Amino acid sequence: MSGVQTLMVEPDEGDQRLDRWLRRRFPHVGQGRIEKMCRKGELRVDGGRVKPATRVQTGQSVRIPPLPEPGDITARPARPKVSEADVEMLQKAVLYRDDHILALNKPAGLPVQGGSGQDRHLDGMSEALCFGFEDPPRLVHRLDKDTSGVLLMARTRRSAAALTAAFRARETRKIYWAAVAGVPHPQMGTIRYALVKAPGHGRHGEGEKMLCIDPRQMAAHPDAKRATTDYAVLSALGRRVSWCALVPVTGRTHQLRAHMAELGHPIIGDGKYGGSGQENLGDGWGAQLGGEMSKKLHLHARHLSLTHPVTGARLSLTAPLSPHMTRTWDALGWEARDVPVDPFEELE
């Protein structure tokens, strides 16, 4: 077991996640141990508490508590080998690949990163996406576990830094498709509720969710963050369910799900924010339609456009609907070819 040590972030190591930086320095230290050190405040950057996802910058000092030596029986064993089935699944999901970036159509139900009770996740299986490179691709943004669609990864540190900066500066454009309960009115608009995290239950905060706050009431909620979502109704089946395009102008946790539920039109299958009802009892619809359509979240990252971080070319990436949403679209008679790629441009 090593002693406490303080290391500096070198010039070629800046602007990357703390957990990735640490694993490159100490490959034998597992993600679980890193998360535990952060929770206990043992791992610090410039003297402050941090999270595994905190990005370290050149010149910062990282305090590292005693770590097991390589081969120590207390060290976490190497992560299991990715199964042949998962390798095939991930490689078939690739939408675009060059020497700098890679885009996947992430399956619904697959977590992007590990967490409490999550041992099978994309980050842990990323070695299946090396395609001849020594290092696996890096995550530069996230999708919820139950959301499918376009997920971008960086194949080099240079492209990771550029893409991360582009997402922060909102230089990318993301368009989601969703089936929502009822039909929003007006059929095109902007939602501006701020969001604040409500505590969950259990040891690890299970069940936490985001609450919507009227922007005029933000002074009473100092932890609330401004959030903006554009929406447009693309088609509707009577007044019961509609196909919407959603653009998260900001990128808050569960933003689209919380905003649509607050509007009274939760995303179909969203039990967390839309409940288990099917009727509109006067305060908005429930998120269920009955049968198979109620079993899975109907939210899909359909389209992502961005400037390539190296070539400067404009890329437009589109992901086919997930199997469960395809079945719903077929059942409701909705056709992808009937709507524009970016309905907000068409309707302006």
Side-chain angles (χ1 to χ4, degrees), residues 95 104-106 148-150 300-303 317-322:
L95 297 169
L104 291 177
N105 184 3
K106 186 191 83 68
S148 56
V150 183
H300 178 74
R302 172 67 173 179
H303 186 75
L317 306 169
T318 300
L321 284 172
S322 60

Side-chain angles (χ1 to χ4, degrees), residues 46 88 103 109 113 121 131 144 160 174 177 217 219 268 291 341 344:
D46 286 346
E88 181 180 8
Q113 292 177 299
H121 50 85
F131 293 107
D144 289 347
K174 293 180 282 187
W177 280 2
Q217 304 299 321
I268 297 301
V341 172
F344 300 91

Side-chain angles (χ1 to χ4, degrees), residues 9-297:
V9 180
E10 300 296 334
D12 64 341
E13 296 179 321
D15 198 24
Q16 63 175 305
R17 288 171 55 111
L18 173 62
D19 51 2
R20 289 188 177 275
W21 176 86
L22 194 66
R23 288 205 303 269
R24 294 181 75 90
R25 292 287 192 108
F26 305 96
H28 64 289
V29 178
Q31 182 70 17
R33 180 178 285 270
I34 295 173
E35 292 175 1
K36 183 177 181 180
M37 290 188 296
C38 289
R39 287 196 302 270
K40 296 175 68 176
E42 297 174 338
L43 189 61
R44 292 176 174 260
V45 175
D46 286 346
R49 297 177 71 101
V50 287
K51 296 180 179 180
T54 298
R55 304 194 79 82
V56 294
Q57 303 297 333
T58 299
Q60 288 185 312
S61 63
V62 182
R63 177 198 181 276
I64 303 171
L67 298 176
E69 299 295 338
D72 192 314
I73 60 173
T74 62
R76 180 178 176 177
R79 61 186 179 184
K81 181 178 176 61
V82 183
S83 70
E84 292 184 7
D86 282 335
V87 170
E88 181 180 8
M89 176 271 293
L90 289 176
Q91 293 187 354
K92 282 185 175 179
V94 173
L95 297 169
Y96 175 87
R97 170 168 62 94
D98 62 26
D99 288 343
H100 311 285
I101 65 176
L102 180 148
L104 291 177
N105 184 3
K106 186 191 83 68
L110 177 65
V112 170
Q113 292 177 299
S116 177
Q118 299 289 354
D119 295 324
R120 179 178 177 271
H121 50 85
L122 177 59
D123 196 33
M125 299 189 294
S126 58
E127 63 189 65
L129 298 170
C130 287
F131 293 107
F133 277 37
E134 181 178 351
D135 295 324
R138 302 163 173 82
L139 293 166
V140 293
H141 69 125
R142 299 194 305 170
L143 293 177
D144 289 347
K145 172 185 173 182
D146 294 321
T147 302
S148 56
V150 183
L151 181 75
L152 201 62
M153 303 181 79
R155 303 192 72 193
T156 66
R157 186 170 297 172
R158 175 189 175 189
S159 58
L163 289 171
T164 298
F167 276 103
R168 284 180 179 171
R170 304 176 189 171
E171 295 172 350
T172 61
R173 183 165 178 79
K174 293 180 282 187
I175 299 176
Y176 289 71
W177 280 2
V180 309
V183 183
H185 180 79
Q187 294 199 1
M188 185 177 186
T190 299
I191 308 168
R192 293 189 173 88
Y193 288 107
L195 295 170
V196 64
K197 184 179 292 185
H201 55 81
R203 291 182 56 193
H204 301 292
E206 296 88 349
E208 67 182 19
K209 61 189 295 186
M210 306 304 290
L211 298 180
C212 288
I213 305 296
D214 188 304
R216 295 168 295 184
Q217 304 299 321
M218 285 189 66
H221 301 273
D223 294 332
K225 296 182 178 180
R226 294 189 181 278
T228 304
T229 299
D230 292 331
Y231 74 87
V233 176
L234 303 180
S235 186
L237 185 67
R239 304 301 300 172
R240 184 62 189 87
V241 60
S242 55
W243 169 11
C244 288
L246 309 174
V247 172
V249 179
T250 53
R252 310 300 184 196
T253 300
H254 293 179
Q255 175 178 316
L256 301 181
R257 297 166 63 183
H259 270 177
M260 294 310 295
E262 187 69 17
L263 204 63
H265 301 282
I267 296 171
I268 297 301
D270 191 354
K272 177 185 283 286
Y273 289 95
S276 58
Q278 296 186 36
E279 299 178 320
N280 185 337
L281 301 178
D283 56 354
W285 290 93
Q288 309 306 316
L289 286 179
E292 189 206 19
M293 293 183 190
S294 295
K295 294 180 180 179
K296 292 184 177 181
L297 183 71

